[in-house]
Amino acid sequence: MVETSELLCPESKGKFEKISLSRRTVTRRVELIDEDIVRELNKKVESFKLYSLALDESNDIKDTAQLLIFIRGINDSFEITEELLSMESLKGKTRGEDLYEQVSAVIERMKLPWSKLANVTTDGSPNLTGKNVGLLKRIQDKVKEENPDQDVIFLHCIIHQESLCKSVLQLNHVVDPVVKLVNFIRARGLNHRQFITFLEETDADHQDLLYHSRVRWLSLGKVCQRVWELKEEIRSFLEQMGKSDEFPELSDTDWLCDFAFAVDILSHMNELNVKLQGKDQFVHDMYTNVRAFKSKLILFSRQMANKSFAHFPTLAMQKEATRNVKKYCTSLDDMHREFCRRFSDFEKIDKSLQLVSCPLSQDPETAPHELQLELIDLQSDSVSQEKFKSLKLNDFYASLNEATFPNLRRTAQKMLALFGSTYVCEQAFSVMNINKARHRSRLTDQHLRSILRIATTKLTPDFDALAKKGDQQHCSH
């Protein structure tokens, strides 16, 4: 219609652009786009050599449990497709068997062979990971039933585990007063307005404090950083209000020292967290960042034992820091052990990840027997070495001759198809919370699924065909 108006009456094009479509028209078009994306995804699925699933479950505004299932598949040309496979609504219980029934139904509906399932990544909740009746146990049994030689790699979301590791730092005595302080200022309207005015009058570096949200991975570190940077203004503001006695921690040098340590270590963890976020990440890249962080923790502990605070600039400003060195070294050592414990599932596949990511530097003798001869051939081929330097990793493996490197290609397909995190699910839940909100709570599960698919897809619908199809329907308003 807009294109027609541009030809017939270009001066009125703006008016046509402002015409809002009816609810039924918008709904119909969302349904058509969703159907087209599903058709395109079905075509992609048929070519998958292997695929992985990322699963996460959360309640919407109506307390309906929504199970998100994302698929990451790889074809013979090493083209990787990462899409929302389905959103399944659970009206009753969310036990392992209930989740398995939903996942199984989706896999059967999409005609995905269980034998090609390489990996399942979850957030680690008991109903998903239970050893006897959880979803993963049932999936493993189903895969073994179809292909006894197939081992499914089960992973706990790498970002979720990294976030959980900070619990060993035992920072509650720091975090609780900080959260209490933020709530005192921000949760009370008058206090908040007066504090903002105070910051403007004192020409502070920031204009406000941040709220802490437990469901946001970077929240705690950012909140602590902001409070630390405004601590002098906060202290003056509380004295002005006669409330300084309610927060004695701000005058406690030992507490401030612990606070400074928390600011620095949480800053390091946030840097790691940012590196782990994002779509289409390969697991070997994600786990490389985790391994690097474990080495950094060892370095931090050794340096701090020698009373060096090179990588803890906030703590270095505290005169009392040297008195608490032993305590901080213990915290860093505890965190290192926690990282090793929590990432044991990634450690099991680390050799395979390194082999696929750096095949030219691997010792063939330490590789699995079926890969040894192929690795020698690869490392002796100067053309392949040049390709490895110039091509993306999946394109490099796609360029390898299938007859010469069958096992190496197969191993690469499995490692490149893995989901390292449930980040895609978390992003989709954010879209869900925006679209199915308090004033839009009657949105049906079917339409919510369509919205999530359209919002997260990388596939391009055939809009020309959809436009023609819409014209043919002539639906009345």
Side-chain angles (χ1 to χ4, degrees):
M1 181 175 67
V2 175
E3 292 178 357
T4 304
S5 68
E6 190 174 10
L7 295 174
L8 299 178
C9 46
E11 71 282 355
S12 302
K13 179 186 174 185
K15 295 180 180 179
F16 281 93
E17 288 177 337
K18 293 179 181 179
I19 297 176
S20 60
L21 300 175
S22 71
R23 288 179 295 175
R24 289 183 60 187
T25 301
V26 172
T27 299
R28 188 170 67 252
R29 292 186 179 180
V30 166
E31 292 170 347
L32 289 173
I33 294 172
D34 178 44
E35 291 170 4
D36 190 72
I37 294 172
V38 172
R39 278 194 296 270
E40 184 65 24
L41 181 58
N42 279 327
K43 294 177 184 176
K44 296 274 188 182
V45 163
E46 293 175 0
S47 65
F48 287 169
K49 300 296 288 185
L50 290 170
Y51 68 92
S52 296
L53 300 177
L55 309 173
D56 204 352
E57 175 248 320
S58 182
N59 291 350
D60 63 20
I61 191 70
K62 299 291 283 185
D63 283 330
T64 299
Q66 305 289 6
L67 174 66
L68 292 187
I69 308 172
F70 274 82
I71 188 169
R72 181 184 174 102
I74 189 167
N75 61 17
D76 205 40
S77 301
F78 283 78
E79 179 188 359
I80 297 172
T81 301
E82 190 175 290
E83 289 287 325
L84 174 65
L85 189 63
S86 184
M87 184 204 81
E88 297 299 309
S89 305
L90 296 97
K91 304 297 184 181
K93 297 180 179 179
T94 56
R95 300 167 299 178
E97 59 187 280
D98 302 310
L99 298 177
Y100 172 74
E101 288 177 3
Q102 297 291 338
V103 173
S104 180
V106 172
I107 289 179
E108 298 295 336
R109 185 168 69 243
M110 297 295 292
K111 298 180 181 179
L112 285 161
W114 286 97
S115 58
K116 292 185 179 181
L117 178 60
N119 148 253
V120 179
T121 298
T122 70
D123 68 346
S125 59
N127 56 349
L128 292 172
T129 60
K131 293 181 179 179
N132 298 318
V133 295
L135 169 67
L136 301 189
K137 176 63 168 61
R138 295 171 186 273
I139 289 178
Q140 180 69 77
D141 292 343
K142 181 65 176 179
V143 172
K144 287 290 185 183
E145 183 182 309
E146 290 202 7
N147 185 1
D149 297 327
Q150 174 77 338
D151 286 320
V152 181
I153 298 172
F154 296 116
L155 298 176
H156 181 175
C157 172
I158 198 169
I159 303 177
H160 189 236
Q161 290 193 90
E162 184 266 350
S163 182
L164 292 174
C165 282
K166 66 174 176 282
S167 62
V168 300
L169 294 172
Q170 297 182 346
L171 295 174
N172 287 344
H173 71 292
V174 171
V175 174
D176 291 346
V178 168
V179 172
K180 178 184 175 184
L181 177 60
V182 171
N183 288 338
F184 172 78
I185 293 175
R186 291 212 51 170
R188 304 178 186 182
L190 178 60
N191 290 354
H192 192 198
R193 292 193 297 273
Q194 290 177 337
F195 183 68
I196 292 175
T197 302
F198 182 81
L199 293 180
E200 292 175 351
E201 292 174 350
T202 56
D203 197 24
D205 293 335
H206 302 287
Q207 297 179 343
D208 204 352
L209 294 174
L210 302 176
Y211 265 132
H212 171 44
S213 172
R214 294 184 183 276
V215 300
R216 297 187 182 277
W217 290 312
L218 305 178
S219 174
L220 181 58
K222 289 184 175 180
V223 170
C224 288
Q225 181 75 41
R226 179 64 61 86
V227 172
W228 177 267
E229 292 172 354
L230 291 174
K231 68 181 185 302
E232 297 302 329
E233 288 83 357
I234 292 172
R235 187 184 291 127
S236 299
F237 177 72
L238 293 175
E239 290 176 355
Q240 181 177 300
M241 293 186 66
K243 298 290 185 178
S244 57
D245 293 343
E246 295 185 20
F247 300 94
E249 293 87 358
L250 291 175
S251 301
D252 185 337
T253 54
D254 285 331
W255 184 86
L256 286 172
C257 199
D258 290 347
F259 187 16
F261 172 76
V263 169
D264 286 332
I265 190 62
L266 290 174
S267 176
H268 286 301
M269 292 193 72
N270 276 7
E271 287 179 13
L272 171 61
N273 200 293
V274 170
K275 292 177 182 178
L276 299 177
Q277 293 185 34
K279 296 182 178 180
D280 301 315
Q281 287 213 57
F282 292 129
V283 174
H284 62 262
D285 289 329
M286 301 176 76
Y287 191 57
T288 294
N289 289 319
V290 171
R291 278 194 284 108
F293 190 77
K294 289 195 289 185
S295 298
K296 290 177 184 178
L297 289 173
I298 295 174
L299 174 67
F300 294 159
S301 181
R302 287 176 180 171
Q303 289 182 337
M304 200 163 288
N306 294 323
K307 298 182 180 180
S308 170
F309 307 101
H311 301 289
F312 285 74
T314 311
L315 183 60
M317 294 188 294
Q318 306 304 302
K319 296 179 181 179
E320 296 76 13
T322 54
R323 285 195 327 222
N324 299 311
V325 160
K326 187 176 180 180
K327 178 172 68 173
Y328 301 145
C329 287
T330 300
S331 294
L332 293 170
D333 293 338
D334 289 343
M335 175 169 277
H336 180 266
R337 283 191 291 272
E338 185 70 359
F339 262 77
C340 293
R341 183 184 72 84
R342 285 195 173 275
F343 290 98
S344 58
D345 50 351
F346 287 88
E347 189 65 33
K348 293 176 183 176
I349 61 172
D350 189 32
K351 288 185 178 180
S352 297
L353 293 175
Q354 292 189 47
L355 188 149
V356 170
S357 60
C358 305
L360 300 181
S361 60
Q362 298 301 306
D363 183 358
E365 290 190 24
T366 63
H369 293 159
E370 68 273 14
L371 298 177
Q372 290 177 347
L373 299 182
E374 293 182 16
L375 272 177
I376 292 174
D377 288 338
L378 181 66
Q379 294 172 2
S380 302
D381 185 357
S382 57
V383 175
S384 295
Q385 293 177 19
E386 288 301 316
K387 286 182 178 179
F388 184 78
K389 294 177 184 178
S390 59
L391 297 176
K392 292 182 180 178
L393 196 60
N394 53 323
D395 293 334
F396 165 73
Y397 281 105
S399 71
L400 296 182
N401 186 284
E402 189 170 2
T404 308
F405 304 101
N407 295 313
L408 198 53
R409 281 171 56 94
R410 194 175 303 115
T411 302
Q413 282 175 335
K414 188 168 187 177
M415 293 300 106
L416 296 179
L418 300 180
F419 268 114
S421 74
T422 58
Y423 178 83
V424 286
C425 298
E426 297 292 345
Q427 273 206 323
F429 281 134
S430 297
V431 176
M432 178 185 77
N433 293 332
I434 292 171
N435 283 276
K436 192 170 183 179
R438 186 160 57 94
H439 297 294
R440 205 182 180 194
S441 59
R442 294 179 64 184
L443 187 68
T444 66
D445 294 330
Q446 179 183 350
H447 289 144
L448 178 60
R449 183 190 303 116
S450 298
I451 290 171
L452 294 186
R453 195 188 306 281
I454 294 169
T456 59
T457 188
K458 292 178 183 172
L459 302 176
T460 303
D462 188 348
F463 288 112
D464 291 336
L466 290 175
K468 293 177 182 178
K469 186 173 181 180
D471 292 339
Q472 293 169 359
Q473 289 180 347
H474 296 296
C475 296
S476 62
H477 299 292

